[in-house]
Amino acid sequence: MASAELRAHREAIVREHMESENQHDFDTTIGTFGHPRYELIATGDGYDGEEAVRAYFAESRRAFPDQRNELVALVSHPLTVGRAFARRAYPSRHV
């Protein structure tokens, strides 16, 4: 893949990942990983592997069922794509 095509492909995966999280379509979210892993910088928590990441999804959405990610910026680099996002939790309508 040419570099512009590769960048566009990677950015599309990031967008698919974030949108599938918002829809709670975690099978699709898991499918966007080569190896599922989340690191929460603020807390230092890490979730490594599909089982751990699925447990994180279940735990975090139980606490914040209306949580949504809003893409703020995508930063492309020849080796990776970084994302900046805002995570929002709205008052639950499920309580």
Side-chain angles (χ1 to χ4, degrees), residues 15-85:
R15 292 176 192 282
E16 178 183 26
H17 179 100
M18 293 184 73
E19 184 57 33
S20 64
E21 278 189 332
N22 286 342
Q23 296 173 2
H24 295 196
D25 177 5
F26 300 124
D27 290 334
T28 296
T29 308
I30 291 292
T32 65
F33 286 106
H35 173 84
R37 180 170 174 76
Y38 268 68
E39 293 181 27
L40 305 180
I41 304 304
T43 63
D45 292 334
Y47 304 89
D48 190 28
E50 183 173 343
E51 185 177 325
V53 170
R54 285 187 184 276
Y56 162 72
F57 290 150
E59 178 183 336
S60 63
R61 291 345 184 257
R62 192 170 32 255
F64 302 102
D66 294 333
Q67 176 181 307
R68 297 290 179 267
N69 301 310
E70 177 186 338
L71 184 62
V72 174
L74 275 178
V75 180
S76 294
H77 180 274
L79 299 177
T80 190
V81 174
R83 66 182 175 153
F85 63 94

